[in-house]
Amino acid sequence: MSRPATPVQDRFWRFVKKSDGCWEWTGATSTSGYGVINLGPRGSGLARAHRLSWSMVNGAIPAGMLLCHHCDNKLCVRPDHLYVGTYHDNLM
């Protein structure tokens, strides 16, 4: 008998190191340097950690928009360091 899977929202916080500045992701990373987490059982897919953090606090990211970092730290998952923007906004 297998035990029930821990919800992704609960697993997420195990991999976050909070500080007065950035909240850094300590779990797995993508080849592009962003934090990633499995959404559930094998085959459920991955989520970028900063995008999951934002959506847990603020809701869905609007279609066609990016989630950008004020701090320019790819490992930061602190919601108030993130903002919804365009590709152009992200280059600024």
Side-chain angles (χ1 to χ4, degrees):
M1 176 187 263
S2 63
R3 61 179 190 212
T6 303
V8 68
Q9 295 87 345
D10 295 340
R11 290 186 288 110
F12 174 86
W13 295 109
R14 295 180 194 164
F15 300 104
V16 177
K17 181 180 176 188
K18 290 185 177 181
S19 72
D20 291 337
C22 292
W23 295 355
E24 294 224 336
W25 181 253
T26 63
T29 57
S30 68
T31 56
S32 58
Y34 289 94
V36 293
I37 188 169
N38 284 311
L39 291 173
R42 199 171 278 229
S44 298
L46 295 174
R48 285 197 172 175
H50 68 292
R51 294 176 66 85
L52 180 58
S53 176
W54 171 272
S55 63
M56 287 190 302
V57 173
N58 298 296
I61 300 164
M65 300 299 285
L66 301 177
L67 191 59
C68 310
H69 289 84
H70 288 293
C71 58
D72 289 329
N73 177 354
K74 291 180 178 183
L75 293 177
C76 183
V77 296
R78 186 171 176 163
D80 63 345
H81 283 202
L82 305 170
Y83 67 98
V84 174
T86 64
Y87 179 79
H88 180 73
D89 295 333
N90 201 35
L91 295 176
M92 306 290 276

